């Protein structure tokens, strides 16, 4: 009973609080940005927003339940989870798979569609933590780093790439590199890995016309004159949305870009709508919230000596923060259009559930630490009841 | 402990990296949202905004009581792209009925359906559509009402486009149609008050822009007015719609009974010259002006002068009285024929020997020879000046623009020996019905002529008024001369031959008959213009009434006009609740 009702650590509440705030803020913004496109699609202004609300109603309890499991639970099931996730990802290529916008990245089950790649992210993160914790004493040797992380992660990323989802694949890659970084792997090894990956990526993109054009368009810079060319359309409309927001925004619900001008306004480009309706102020607040989220992750991963917890937490941090930054960078035109949603904020059921579940895992680490404090650690020194604030003057 | 230190170091690196990225983002945001915002907004607004016209509404024309005589309504022009209608995927096209069944409709069937709704001939429309199958524009029907617009829209015919077309409606039809005038199909004012008061009535369209969604939905709250539309003002006429209708109906009925080519009736309020009714026959329904008699699309009462005949004798007597040349009881002998030097003798409408008339007798009995005898009491130039002061030769009102005639009055030095006399009984001079009415207004108004008025004022869209000032009055003859003349006209309606038809119990009526000969090709013919002009009530005139029939076939004397004059006069008394006369008429001897 004491465990059940005891107060959690400040880090726990910091992470939980920021997460809940972002999810609720996301619901408001999804409602605002999706009404017009929802109505255009199926005649119901609220279909997209109510679906997102439903996922939040499922996802938040799921996160809280996940936070109650001991860290050892995650470690035990890591391999299984990864295999299941990759299995689901392979279903994408069967009759259950659904293709949307050139990406075959969804499966349809009953009336719902799901994105197994989101589950792959979570499973891969936990698996990385688990495997690197197991091999922690051998990681100075690059072969031990490469095996089995290289092939397994490569397979997971490869499966996502086969579906055509470059955005998710690059997030997965970043997660792996980030996890290695926080596992304490020598920078030389990580650097070599990055060099190899860059070479592969170059070959991969150079034989896909669509990708090279997209990247060329980005490299040459988008201007308004080109706005109706395929690859700049979304970026330019994102800029227009942001520009019309100015410093203080046009006001919640007043966006003009959401009138079907800006594709994916409620998911990949929701940051543009935030910037339009809430202005520079709103956009900077969202950036600040992600910074606070990063601070919460860092505090949690720094307060543990357990490699599994540290690597998993860092992986999830890289996932959430990294994906948020990639998303925002795309909206701002710093990166080419990659098609990744803004974590916790964008519309998208699978992504929200996976994000919340992942944060639930981190919360479970934060909780575990508090119970460690209670049971194991000893206060370094007892605090005297009435310690003098200053030394008496006479003693000088 | 080394891993802890390494973690600490690497997490610091990570935080620094995160803050660096956030820094880049903030710079980028400021760049987009502040620095380049104006430029980008210009581009996006240009892409999204749609210009549109805000229509101003042309003002109304109303009568003295605010009854609407002309207003603006929304109509639709129906145009079609024959190319789209006749092209392969649309011909035939599929229509889904309410019960869900689908039927095939050919282009020709569709056009026939349209013809059924607009009331046009199907074969005409089909010929038009097939004339140039590659054309993208064909006007099918103009100025269709909302019901037709909706019915055609619901047919779902491909290639149909409908444009808004503000149009004019004249809810009272031909009542005052001669005065109100009309606008053409292009909405340009063409005639009547519509034309002459266009400056007050005209609206101007404004422009605005709104921003649209990608699916062309108008984004709420995005409308930006660039230029205001301005609604037109309301023209308030002095006309009484009901009296106008009555007068039109009366003269039309009488004109048809006696086979007159035309007829007019004018009712003027004596005190200020305001026109209460100006009726014309034949007249025009402005809703359908194109089918009106081409000569009757305006107002004859304003536009066409004629030799008025004996109604002018009242003015002759008034000017002689004013000049002190005669008195009401001046005793003359009216011969059967009045010899004119170097001209044909002047006779009367009836054969008689020498008659011993007073001035009053010569006037009331309308003796040409008697008036000629009196005329010799005053020189021609002075009489010409009097006619000028009575307004003959100038427009009776400023309110009808160039559509009003000034009549014809030749200068006295151009009068030959005949004209010297005939002008005094309304031959050899031409006046409009309005000018005749103006003479009687002057006599009824104690000798002061006030320019007639048709328009009381212009009420602008913002509620302000521009009044049309009542014109400056001109003292034409003295009050005594005017009053005496009016009194001398009373026997016509109380004692003489038309009295039974003209009298209205309880009221004193002053009236003067006129039977003018009509000249054709410079020769007087048997055609006549017959009229009665009068004032009620005679002791203190409030209304001047002139009724004229042009070239009647079956009755060629002023008796033809008597019942009509009587009815209109009675209607005027009722409409304006004129109180009955209380004093008896003075007894002025007509003979000696």
């Amino acid at each position: 009973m004491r465990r059940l009702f005891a107060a959690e650590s400040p880090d726990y509440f910091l992470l939980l609080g920021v997460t809940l705030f972002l999810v609720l803020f996301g619901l408001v913004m999804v409602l605002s940005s999706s009404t017009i496109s929802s109505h255009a699609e199926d005649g119901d202004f609220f279909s997209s927003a109510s679906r997102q609300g439903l996922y939040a109603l499922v996802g938040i309890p799921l996160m809280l339940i996940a936070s109650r499991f001991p860290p050892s639970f995650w470690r035990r099931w890591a391999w299984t989870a990864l295999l299941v996730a990759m299995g689901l990802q392979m279903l994408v290529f069967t009759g259950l798979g659904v293709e949307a916008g050139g990406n075959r990245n969804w499966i349809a089950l009953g009336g719902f569609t799901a994105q197994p790649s989101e589950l792959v992210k979570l499973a891969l993160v936990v698996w990385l933590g688990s495997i690197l914790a197991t091999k922690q004493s051998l990681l100075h040797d690059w072969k031990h780093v490469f095996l089995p992380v290289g092939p397994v992660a490569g397979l997971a990323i490869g499966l996502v790439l086969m579906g055509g989802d470059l955005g998710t694949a690059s997030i997965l890659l970043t997660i792996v590199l980030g996890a290695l970084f926080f596992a304490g792997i020598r920078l030389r090894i990580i650097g070599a890995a990055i060099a190899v990956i860059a070479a592969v990526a170059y070959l991969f993109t150079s034989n896909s016309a669509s990708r090279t054009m997209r990247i060329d368009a980005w490299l040459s810079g988008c201007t308004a004159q080109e706005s109706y060319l395929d690859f700049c359309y979304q970026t330019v409309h994102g800029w227009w949305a942001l520009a019309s927001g100015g410093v203080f925004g046009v006001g919640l619900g007043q966006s003009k870009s959401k009138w079907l001008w800006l594709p994916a306004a409620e998911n990949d480009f929701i940051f543009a709508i935030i910037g339009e309706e809430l202005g520079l102020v709103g956009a900077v607040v969202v950036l600040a919230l992600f910074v606070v989220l990063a601070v919460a992750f860092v505090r949690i991963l720094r307060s543990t000596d357990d490699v599994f917890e540290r690597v998993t937490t860092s992986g999830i941090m890289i996932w959430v923060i990294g994906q948020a930054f990639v998303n925002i960078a795309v909206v701002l035109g710093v990166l080419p259009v990659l098609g990744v949603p803004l974590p916790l904020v964008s519309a998208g059921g699978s992504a929200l559930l996976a994000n919340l579940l992942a944060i639930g895992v981190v919360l479970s680490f934060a909780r575990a630490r508090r119970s460690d404090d209670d049971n194991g650690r000893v206060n370094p020194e007892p605090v005297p009841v009435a310690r003098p604030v200053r030394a008496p003057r006479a003693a000088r | 402990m080394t891993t802890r230190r390494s973690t600490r170091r690497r997490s610091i690196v990570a935080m620094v990296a995160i803050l660096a990225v956030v820094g880049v983002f903030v710079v980028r945001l400021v760049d987009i949202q502040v620095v380049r915002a104006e430029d980008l907004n210009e581009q996006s607004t240009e892409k999204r905004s749609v210009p549109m016209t805000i229509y101003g509404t042309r003002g109304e024309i109303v009568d003295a009581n605010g009854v609407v005589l002309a207003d603006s309504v929304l109509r639709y022009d129906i145009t079609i792209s024959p190319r789209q209608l006749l092209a392969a995927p649309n011909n035939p096209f599929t229509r889904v009925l309410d019960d869900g069944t689908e039927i095939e409709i050919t282009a020709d069937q569709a056009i026939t359906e349209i013809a059924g709704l607009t009331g046009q001939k199907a074969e005409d429309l089909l010929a038009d559509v097939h004339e140039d199958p590659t054309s993208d524009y064909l006007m099918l029907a103009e100025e269709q009402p909302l019901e037709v617009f909706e019915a055609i829209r619901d047919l779902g015919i491909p290639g149909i486009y409908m444009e808004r077309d503000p149009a004019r409606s004249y809810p009272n039809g031909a009542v005052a149609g001669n005065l109100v005038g009309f606008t053409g199909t292009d909405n340009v004012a063409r005639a009547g008050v519509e034309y002459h008061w266009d400056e007050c009535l005209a609206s101007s369209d404004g422009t605005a822009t709104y921003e649209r969604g990608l699916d062309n939905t108008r984004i709420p709250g995005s409308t930006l007015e660039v230029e205001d539309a301005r609604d037109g003002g309301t023209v308030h006429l002095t006309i009484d719609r009901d009296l106008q209708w009555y007068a039109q109906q009366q003269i039309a009925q009488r004109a048809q009974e006696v086979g007159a080519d035309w007829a007019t009736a004018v009712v003027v309020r004596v005190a200020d010259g305001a026109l209460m009714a100006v009726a014309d026959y034949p007249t025009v329904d402005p809703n359908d002006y194109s089918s009106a008699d081409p000569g009757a699309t305006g107002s004859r009462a304003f536009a066409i002068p004629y030799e008025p005949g004996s109604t002018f004798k009242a003015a002759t007597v008034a000017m002689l009285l004013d000049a002190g040349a005669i008195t009401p009881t001046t005793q003359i002998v009216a011969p059967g024929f009045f010899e004119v030097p170097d001209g044909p003798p002047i006779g009367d409408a009836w054969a008689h020997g020498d008659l011993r008339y007073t001035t009053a007798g010569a006037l009331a009995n309308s003796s040409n020879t008697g008036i000629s005898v009196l005329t010799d009491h005053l020189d021609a130039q002075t009489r010409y000046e009097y006619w000028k002061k009575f307004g003959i030769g100038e427009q009776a009102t400023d309110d009808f623009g160039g559509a009003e005639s000034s009549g014809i009055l030749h200068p006295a030095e151009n009068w030959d020996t005949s004209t010297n006399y005939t002008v005094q009984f309304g031959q050899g001079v031409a006046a409009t019905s309005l000018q005749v009415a103006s003479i009687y207004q002057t006599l009824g108004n104690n000798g002061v002529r006030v320019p007639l008025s048709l328009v009381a004022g212009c009420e602008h869209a913002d509620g302000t008024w521009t009044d049309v000032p009542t014109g400056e009055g001109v003292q034409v003859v003295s009050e005594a001369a005017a009053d005496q003349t009016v009194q001398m006209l009373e026997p016509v309606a109380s004692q003489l031959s038309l009295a039974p038809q003209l009298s209205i119990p309880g009221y004193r009526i002053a009236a003067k008959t006129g039977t003018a000969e009509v000249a054709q090709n410079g020769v007087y013919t048997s055609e006549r213009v017959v009229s009665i002009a009068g004032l009620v009530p005679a002791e203190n005139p409030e209304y001047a009434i002139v009724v004229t029939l042009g070239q009647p076939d079956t009755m060629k004397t002023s008796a033809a006009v008597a019942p009509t004059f009587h009815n209109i006069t009675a209607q005027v008394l009722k409409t304006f609740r004129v109180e009955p006369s209380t004093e008896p008429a003075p007894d002025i001897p007509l003979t000696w």
Side-chain angles (χ1 to χ4, degrees), chain A residues 46-122:
Chain A
F46 301 111
S47 61
S48 191
S50 53
R51 212 176 317 129
Q52 185 70 1
L54 190 68
Y55 283 120
L57 279 181
V58 174
I60 289 169
L62 211 57
M63 171 179 72
L64 294 173
I65 292 166
S67 74
R68 299 268 140 180
F69 285 96
S72 57
F73 172 87
W74 305 115
R75 201 168 165 178
R76 201 173 330 124
W77 288 95
W79 267 106
T80 321
L82 185 61
L83 290 176
V84 168
M86 292 204 289
L88 286 172
Q89 178 64 22
M90 277 190 263
L91 284 181
V92 162
F93 306 109
T94 67
L96 289 173
V98 180
E99 188 169 324
N103 288 355
R104 195 172 180 89
N105 215 11
W106 282 266
I107 54 172
L109 284 173
F112 287 85
T113 55
Q115 218 174 349
S117 57
E118 290 296 328
L119 200 57
V120 170
K121 283 180 196 164
L122 177 57

Side-chain angles (χ1 to χ4, degrees), chain A residues 180-182 184-187 190 224 227-228 233 239-240 242-244 246-247 256-257 259-261 271 275 279-280 283-284 287 291 294-295 298 301-305 310 321 325 328-329 332-334, chain B residues 1 3-4 6-15 17-19 21-22 24-26 28-30 32-34 36-41 43-44 47-48 211-215 217-222:
Chain A
L180 292 178
F181 181 75
F182 279 97
I185 308 288
R186 276 187 294 183
L187 295 175
I190 297 177
S227 68
Y228 282 76
Y233 180 91
W239 287 346
W240 285 353
L242 289 168
S244 91
V247 176
K256 284 165 187 164
S257 305
W259 290 76
L260 308 180
W261 287 109
F271 189 73
L280 181 63
V284 169
L287 284 176
V291 170
V295 168
V298 167
L301 75 85
R302 275 170 62 157
S303 63
T304 180
D305 289 331
R310 195 176 67 224
I321 306 300
F325 283 3
I328 292 169
L332 296 180
V334 178
Chain B
M1 235 39 235
T3 54
R4 269 218 139 184
S6 143
T7 303
R8 180 162 300 167
R9 239 186 355 240
R10 292 196 175 191
S11 58
I12 289 170
V13 170
M15 281 310 295
I18 287 172
L19 289 175
V21 171
V22 167
V24 169
F25 286 170
V26 170
R28 186 81 175 163
L29 277 171
V30 170
I32 295 173
Q33 299 198 279
V34 180
R36 288 197 291 151
E38 203 173 319
D39 194 24
L40 289 168
N41 282 333
Q43 296 166 4
S44 62
K47 214 51 139 186
R48 290 195 290 243
E211 292 184 44
R212 65 183 175 97
L214 187 60
D215 60 348
T217 310
R218 189 160 154 182
I219 299 177
S222 67

Side-chain angles (χ1 to χ4, degrees), chain A residues 197-244:
Chain A
I197 292 162
V200 172
Y202 177 76
L203 291 175
F204 180 75
T205 51
S206 59
N207 64 12
S208 159
S210 135
R211 283 192 192 92
T212 40
M213 281 168 73
R214 217 188 281 195
I215 289 164
D216 280 352
W218 164 65
L219 284 176
S220 60
C222 291
T223 64
Q225 278 70 36
E226 299 170 84
S227 68
Y228 282 76
L229 296 179
D230 297 349
F231 301 114
C232 274
Y233 180 91
Q234 216 169 358
T235 305
V236 168
H237 276 279
W239 287 346
W240 285 353
L242 289 168
S244 91

Side-chain angles (χ1 to χ4, degrees), chain B residues 313 317 332 334 350 357-371 374 512 590:
Chain B
K313 287 174 182 159
V317 169
I332 58 160
W350 73 103
Y357 278 146
T358 59
T359 300
L363 178 61
N365 288 295
S366 199
S367 167
N368 296 338
T369 57
I371 292 296
L374 290 169
K512 180 70 199 81
L590 302 182

Side-chain angles (χ1 to χ4, degrees), chain A residues 310-396:
Chain A
R310 195 176 67 224
V311 173
T312 306
T313 303
S314 66
I316 291 170
M317 173 175 83
I318 299 294
W319 168 10
V320 174
I321 306 300
Q323 187 174 327
F325 283 3
V326 169
N327 172 276
I328 292 169
V330 165
V331 171
L332 296 180
V334 178
L335 285 180
V337 175
L338 286 167
V340 295
L342 188 59
L344 302 171
V345 177
S346 283
S350 309
L352 183 63
L353 289 180
N355 285 147
L356 287 172
L357 207 53
I359 287 167
V361 170
V362 177
L363 287 173
S364 79
F365 299 158
R367 278 190 89 249
R369 204 110 62 248
R370 182 202 34 109
S371 40
D372 289 349
D373 289 348
D374 285 354
N375 304 335
R377 289 210 188 139
V378 185
N379 276 337
E381 90 189 41
V383 179
V385 177
R387 197 167 65 177
V389 177
R390 272 184 198 161
R393 209 171 275 261
R396 282 244 184 111

Side-chain angles (χ1 to χ4, degrees), chain B residues 79 86 119 155 187-188 203 245 282 291 306 365 416 418 439 507 519:
Chain B
T79 66
L86 301 171
L155 292 176
N187 266 314
V188 174
S203 59
W245 171 83
S291 62
Y306 51 89
N365 288 295
D416 60 22
S418 278
I439 290 175
Y507 291 92

